[in-house]
Amino acid sequence: AQSVTQPDIHITVSEGASLELRCNYSYGATPYLFWYVQSPGQGLQLLLKYFSGDTLVQGIKGFEAEFKRSQSSFNLRKPSVHWSDAAEYFCAVGTLTGANNLFFGTGTRLTVIP
Amino acid sequence: DAGVIQSPRHEVTEMGQEVTLRCKPISGHNSLFWYRQTMMRGLELLIYFNNNVPIDDSGMPEDRFSAKMPNASFSTLKIQPSEPRDSAVYFCASSPPRGQGPDTQYFGPGTRLTVL
């Protein structure tokens, strides 16, 4: 069965510093991978997604993620964090066949300090 | 285009009362999902519909919970009777017709439910 692990519950970075949020998935075939962001009091918003092709995908708000099959990872990165990036970040995996639903990780809360 | 619309945004009720949450998916989307989010359990999928048909309701916690989708533009999640442990934020999401794989889910703003 497919699953997603986000090993970091909470990360704190300084404004302007680089960011990497980790995501590991478990699935036997090529996964469909997503990163969502949730600002306080808001719903989830898609940052980026990977279906196939180039393993480095660009998203909104200056985020990017790299799919590494050998490591079963899809880590999210941003070269310079802004205070407005403080939020909860969710990684999710879906599959080619079967159900249309996504499996979400438990989320990583990002705090940005001045 | 309007996004996913949920109502009410906030609901405060007393234990034992019936609660109905409403969702209008994005026009043209044919999959609809109901999630519950709590600090303790994170984001949980309760049920999802495809073409108005419930596909997987294994996440529905108890018989007190029921969901319907009478047409492509409306869905309800009902809790009867409600209990304090049902307090959570309930999200509705929709996604467009599936191509080769699962597509992006678009989330509504959520309904914050408080059961006293």
Side-chain angles (χ1 to χ4, degrees), chain B residues 94-113:
Chain B
S94 69
S95 67
R98 178 179 176 145
Q100 285 191 318
D103 212 322
T104 303
Q105 292 184 20
Y106 296 81
F107 282 74
T111 295
R112 181 173 296 276
L113 173 64

PDB file of all heavy atoms in Angstrom, chain B residues 94-113:
ATOM      1  N   SER B  94     -12.222  18.973  -4.523  1.00  0.00           N
ATOM      2  CA  SER B  94     -12.688  18.362  -5.765  1.00  0.00           C
ATOM      3  C   SER B  94     -11.538  18.260  -6.739  1.00  0.00           C
ATOM      4  O   SER B  94     -10.532  18.975  -6.610  1.00  0.00           O
ATOM      5  CB  SER B  94     -13.846  19.154  -6.374  1.00  0.00           C
ATOM      6  OG  SER B  94     -13.433  20.422  -6.858  1.00  0.00           O
ATOM      7  N   SER B  95     -11.667  17.350  -7.694  1.00  0.00           N
ATOM      8  CA  SER B  95     -10.628  17.211  -8.711  1.00  0.00           C
ATOM      9  C   SER B  95     -11.277  16.940 -10.062  1.00  0.00           C
ATOM     10  O   SER B  95     -12.385  16.396 -10.137  1.00  0.00           O
ATOM     11  CB  SER B  95      -9.627  16.109  -8.348  1.00  0.00           C
ATOM     12  OG  SER B  95     -10.225  14.848  -8.379  1.00  0.00           O
ATOM     13  N   PRO B  96     -10.578  17.300 -11.122  1.00  0.00           N
ATOM     14  CA  PRO B  96     -11.140  17.147 -12.462  1.00  0.00           C
ATOM     15  C   PRO B  96     -11.114  15.690 -12.904  1.00  0.00           C
ATOM     16  O   PRO B  96     -10.493  14.845 -12.237  1.00  0.00           O
ATOM     17  CB  PRO B  96     -10.219  18.005 -13.333  1.00  0.00           C
ATOM     18  CG  PRO B  96      -8.938  18.054 -12.591  1.00  0.00           C
ATOM     19  CD  PRO B  96      -9.289  17.980 -11.143  1.00  0.00           C
ATOM     20  N   PRO B  97     -11.749  15.382 -14.040  1.00  0.00           N
ATOM     21  CA  PRO B  97     -11.740  14.000 -14.543  1.00  0.00           C
ATOM     22  C   PRO B  97     -10.321  13.481 -14.652  1.00  0.00           C
ATOM     23  O   PRO B  97      -9.418  14.169 -15.120  1.00  0.00           O
ATOM     24  CB  PRO B  97     -12.422  14.113 -15.899  1.00  0.00           C
ATOM     25  CG  PRO B  97     -13.317  15.285 -15.757  1.00  0.00           C
ATOM     26  CD  PRO B  97     -12.585  16.244 -14.866  1.00  0.00           C
ATOM     27  N   ARG B  98     -10.171  12.272 -14.222  1.00  0.00           N
ATOM     28  CA  ARG B  98      -8.857  11.658 -14.136  1.00  0.00           C
ATOM     29  C   ARG B  98      -8.318  11.362 -15.517  1.00  0.00           C
ATOM     30  O   ARG B  98      -8.996  10.794 -16.363  1.00  0.00           O
ATOM     31  CB  ARG B  98      -8.981  10.377 -13.318  1.00  0.00           C
ATOM     32  CG  ARG B  98      -7.715   9.595 -13.165  1.00  0.00           C
ATOM     33  CD  ARG B  98      -7.991   8.379 -12.305  1.00  0.00           C
ATOM     34  NE  ARG B  98      -6.814   7.535 -12.209  1.00  0.00           N
ATOM     35  CZ  ARG B  98      -6.484   6.857 -11.134  1.00  0.00           C
ATOM     36  NH1 ARG B  98      -7.239   6.936 -10.066  1.00  0.00           N
ATOM     37  NH2 ARG B  98      -5.410   6.108 -11.118  1.00  0.00           N
ATOM     38  N   GLY B  99      -7.061  11.730 -15.750  1.00  0.00           N
ATOM     39  CA  GLY B  99      -6.374  11.373 -16.975  1.00  0.00           C
ATOM     40  C   GLY B  99      -5.680  10.059 -16.772  1.00  0.00           C
ATOM     41  O   GLY B  99      -6.285   9.033 -16.536  1.00  0.00           O
ATOM     42  N   GLN B 100      -4.370  10.099 -16.773  1.00  0.00           N
ATOM     43  CA  GLN B 100      -3.614   8.873 -16.576  1.00  0.00           C
ATOM     44  C   GLN B 100      -3.442   8.535 -15.107  1.00  0.00           C
ATOM     45  O   GLN B 100      -3.066   7.434 -14.774  1.00  0.00           O
ATOM     46  CB  GLN B 100      -2.240   8.985 -17.227  1.00  0.00           C
ATOM     47  CG  GLN B 100      -2.261   8.877 -18.736  1.00  0.00           C
ATOM     48  CD  GLN B 100      -0.862   8.722 -19.287  1.00  0.00           C
ATOM     49  OE1 GLN B 100       0.056   9.391 -18.824  1.00  0.00           O
ATOM     50  NE2 GLN B 100      -0.687   7.862 -20.261  1.00  0.00           N
ATOM     51  N   GLY B 101      -3.656   9.471 -14.273  1.00  0.00           N
ATOM     52  CA  GLY B 101      -3.473   9.230 -12.852  1.00  0.00           C
ATOM     53  C   GLY B 101      -4.292  10.218 -12.059  1.00  0.00           C
ATOM     54  O   GLY B 101      -5.043  11.002 -12.624  1.00  0.00           O
ATOM     55  N   PRO B 102      -4.153  10.197 -10.734  1.00  0.00           N
ATOM     56  CA  PRO B 102      -4.915  11.127  -9.891  1.00  0.00           C
ATOM     57  C   PRO B 102      -4.523  12.555 -10.207  1.00  0.00           C
ATOM     58  O   PRO B 102      -3.360  12.851 -10.449  1.00  0.00           O
ATOM     59  CB  PRO B 102      -4.493  10.734  -8.475  1.00  0.00           C
ATOM     60  CG  PRO B 102      -3.162  10.115  -8.633  1.00  0.00           C
ATOM     61  CD  PRO B 102      -3.204   9.398  -9.944  1.00  0.00           C
ATOM     62  N   ASP B 103      -5.490  13.398 -10.217  1.00  0.00           N
ATOM     63  CA  ASP B 103      -5.210  14.793 -10.544  1.00  0.00           C
ATOM     64  C   ASP B 103      -5.215  15.643  -9.283  1.00  0.00           C
ATOM     65  O   ASP B 103      -5.539  15.176  -8.204  1.00  0.00           O
ATOM     66  CB  ASP B 103      -6.239  15.302 -11.550  1.00  0.00           C
ATOM     67  CG  ASP B 103      -5.643  16.336 -12.479  1.00  0.00           C
ATOM     68  OD1 ASP B 103      -4.823  17.155 -11.996  1.00  0.00           O
ATOM     69  OD2 ASP B 103      -5.976  16.334 -13.669  1.00  0.00           O
ATOM     70  N   THR B 104      -4.867  16.888  -9.485  1.00  0.00           N
ATOM     71  CA  THR B 104      -4.784  17.812  -8.370  1.00  0.00           C
ATOM     72  C   THR B 104      -6.136  17.923  -7.669  1.00  0.00           C
ATOM     73  O   THR B 104      -7.172  18.019  -8.323  1.00  0.00           O
ATOM     74  CB  THR B 104      -4.369  19.196  -8.877  1.00  0.00           C
ATOM     75  OG1 THR B 104      -3.132  19.073  -9.573  1.00  0.00           O
ATOM     76  CG2 THR B 104      -4.245  20.182  -7.735  1.00  0.00           C
ATOM     77  N   GLN B 105      -6.103  17.929  -6.356  1.00  0.00           N
ATOM     78  CA  GLN B 105      -7.304  18.204  -5.580  1.00  0.00           C
ATOM     79  C   GLN B 105      -7.298  19.673  -5.188  1.00  0.00           C
ATOM     80  O   GLN B 105      -6.276  20.202  -4.750  1.00  0.00           O
ATOM     81  CB  GLN B 105      -7.350  17.321  -4.343  1.00  0.00           C
ATOM     82  CG  GLN B 105      -7.555  15.844  -4.664  1.00  0.00           C
ATOM     83  CD  GLN B 105      -7.696  14.979  -3.436  1.00  0.00           C
ATOM     84  OE1 GLN B 105      -8.006  15.451  -2.344  1.00  0.00           O
ATOM     85  NE2 GLN B 105      -7.496  13.675  -3.604  1.00  0.00           N
ATOM     86  N   TYR B 106      -8.437  20.297  -5.342  1.00  0.00           N
ATOM     87  CA  TYR B 106      -8.600  21.702  -4.998  1.00  0.00           C
ATOM     88  C   TYR B 106      -9.454  21.768  -3.741  1.00  0.00           C
ATOM     89  O   TYR B 106     -10.587  21.275  -3.723  1.00  0.00           O
ATOM     90  CB  TYR B 106      -9.262  22.467  -6.146  1.00  0.00           C
ATOM     91  CG  TYR B 106      -8.416  22.494  -7.394  1.00  0.00           C
ATOM     92  CD1 TYR B 106      -8.394  21.412  -8.269  1.00  0.00           C
ATOM     93  CD2 TYR B 106      -7.619  23.592  -7.687  1.00  0.00           C
ATOM     94  CE1 TYR B 106      -7.601  21.421  -9.405  1.00  0.00           C
ATOM     95  CE2 TYR B 106      -6.828  23.618  -8.825  1.00  0.00           C
ATOM     96  CZ  TYR B 106      -6.822  22.527  -9.674  1.00  0.00           C
ATOM     97  OH  TYR B 106      -6.024  22.549 -10.787  1.00  0.00           O
ATOM     98  N   PHE B 107      -8.899  22.385  -2.727  1.00  0.00           N
ATOM     99  CA  PHE B 107      -9.536  22.389  -1.417  1.00  0.00           C
ATOM    100  C   PHE B 107     -10.375  23.638  -1.189  1.00  0.00           C
ATOM    101  O   PHE B 107     -10.005  24.740  -1.613  1.00  0.00           O
ATOM    102  CB  PHE B 107      -8.471  22.306  -0.313  1.00  0.00           C
ATOM    103  CG  PHE B 107      -7.923  20.922  -0.107  1.00  0.00           C
ATOM    104  CD1 PHE B 107      -7.041  20.363  -1.015  1.00  0.00           C
ATOM    105  CD2 PHE B 107      -8.311  20.172   0.992  1.00  0.00           C
ATOM    106  CE1 PHE B 107      -6.534  19.083  -0.841  1.00  0.00           C
ATOM    107  CE2 PHE B 107      -7.812  18.891   1.188  1.00  0.00           C
ATOM    108  CZ  PHE B 107      -6.928  18.351   0.271  1.00  0.00           C
ATOM    109  N   GLY B 108     -11.473  23.435  -0.472  1.00  0.00           N
ATOM    110  CA  GLY B 108     -12.249  24.560   0.012  1.00  0.00           C
ATOM    111  C   GLY B 108     -11.608  25.154   1.251  1.00  0.00           C
ATOM    112  O   GLY B 108     -10.613  24.618   1.760  1.00  0.00           O
ATOM    113  N   PRO B 109     -12.181  26.231   1.778  1.00  0.00           N
ATOM    114  CA  PRO B 109     -11.597  26.904   2.938  1.00  0.00           C
ATOM    115  C   PRO B 109     -11.841  26.185   4.249  1.00  0.00           C
ATOM    116  O   PRO B 109     -11.226  26.511   5.267  1.00  0.00           O
ATOM    117  CB  PRO B 109     -12.304  28.256   2.935  1.00  0.00           C
ATOM    118  CG  PRO B 109     -13.621  27.978   2.290  1.00  0.00           C
ATOM    119  CD  PRO B 109     -13.352  26.931   1.255  1.00  0.00           C
ATOM    120  N   GLY B 110     -12.728  25.181   4.238  1.00  0.00           N
ATOM    121  CA  GLY B 110     -12.983  24.410   5.445  1.00  0.00           C
ATOM    122  C   GLY B 110     -14.133  24.947   6.277  1.00  0.00           C
ATOM    123  O   GLY B 110     -14.508  26.119   6.185  1.00  0.00           O
ATOM    124  N   THR B 111     -14.691  24.046   7.077  1.00  0.00           N
ATOM    125  CA  THR B 111     -15.697  24.390   8.085  1.00  0.00           C
ATOM    126  C   THR B 111     -15.126  24.017   9.438  1.00  0.00           C
ATOM    127  O   THR B 111     -14.799  22.861   9.666  1.00  0.00           O
ATOM    128  CB  THR B 111     -17.016  23.636   7.867  1.00  0.00           C
ATOM    129  OG1 THR B 111     -17.609  24.034   6.642  1.00  0.00           O
ATOM    130  CG2 THR B 111     -17.976  23.907   9.019  1.00  0.00           C
ATOM    131  N   ARG B 112     -15.024  25.008  10.303  1.00  0.00           N
ATOM    132  CA  ARG B 112     -14.539  24.730  11.660  1.00  0.00           C
ATOM    133  C   ARG B 112     -15.733  24.386  12.533  1.00  0.00           C
ATOM    134  O   ARG B 112     -16.592  25.215  12.773  1.00  0.00           O
ATOM    135  CB  ARG B 112     -13.786  25.928  12.231  1.00  0.00           C
ATOM    136  CG  ARG B 112     -13.244  25.679  13.636  1.00  0.00           C
ATOM    137  CD  ARG B 112     -12.361  26.810  14.113  1.00  0.00           C
ATOM    138  NE  ARG B 112     -11.163  26.933  13.300  1.00  0.00           N
ATOM    139  CZ  ARG B 112     -10.052  26.220  13.467  1.00  0.00           C
ATOM    140  NH1 ARG B 112      -9.990  25.321  14.443  1.00  0.00           N
ATOM    141  NH2 ARG B 112      -9.012  26.421  12.696  1.00  0.00           N
ATOM    142  N   LEU B 113     -15.785  23.131  12.973  1.00  0.00           N
ATOM    143  CA  LEU B 113     -16.898  22.646  13.789  1.00  0.00           C
ATOM    144  C   LEU B 113     -16.474  22.534  15.244  1.00  0.00           C
ATOM    145  O   LEU B 113     -15.451  21.916  15.546  1.00  0.00           O
ATOM    146  CB  LEU B 113     -17.369  21.280  13.286  1.00  0.00           C
ATOM    147  CG  LEU B 113     -18.429  20.572  14.137  1.00  0.00           C
ATOM    148  CD1 LEU B 113     -19.729  21.357  14.157  1.00  0.00           C
ATOM    149  CD2 LEU B 113     -18.663  19.148  13.645  1.00  0.00           C
TER     150      LEU B 113
END
